[in-house]
Amino acid sequence: MIRGENEDAVSAWANEIHERLLERPPDDLEILAPQPDFQPKLRGKFRFMIMIKCLDVIPAVQYIKTVLGSVKKKRGVVTTIHVDP
């Protein structure tokens, strides 16, 4: 989940994260393109999501954290990981 007050910044960050995730994903990961969340704007913040499907959640989360840790954070944009096993 990527959210922030500036829709263009949130969308651009979602696309950048998506590109980074596609660089060297584990074999069982299916990474879908960024899209607006089910509630695209909530409490003044625009929300985009990147859906990732996998067979084993632990290596998937580790990979996501590695990718997020390798990019410089964007000011005013918050990125969170939601796990639904």
Side-chain angles (χ1 to χ4, degrees):
M1 171 74 61
I2 298 106
R3 67 185 186 278
E5 293 179 1
N6 182 312
E7 184 175 16
D8 292 334
V10 174
S11 177
W13 184 243
N15 286 319
E16 184 175 337
I17 294 297
H18 181 254
E19 291 298 319
R20 296 289 181 108
L21 287 168
L22 291 175
E23 287 178 359
R24 283 181 246 113
D27 291 335
D28 70 335
L29 247 59
E30 180 182 352
I31 303 167
L32 305 178
Q35 59 187 356
D37 189 36
F38 300 111
Q39 292 182 310
K41 189 173 183 185
L42 182 65
R43 287 174 260 183
K45 304 235 190 257
F46 292 93
R47 300 156 42 109
F48 281 77
M49 66 176 184
I50 300 171
M51 180 88 58
I52 299 174
K53 298 178 183 182
C54 64
L55 297 175
D56 191 358
V57 73
I58 293 172
V61 170
Q62 290 172 340
Y63 175 68
I64 295 165
K65 285 182 177 183
T66 300
V67 169
L68 291 176
S70 71
V71 295
K72 185 176 178 183
K73 305 215 180 329
K74 294 281 186 185
R75 184 181 178 123
V77 179
V78 176
T79 305
T80 56
I81 301 171
H82 300 268
V83 178
D84 186 7

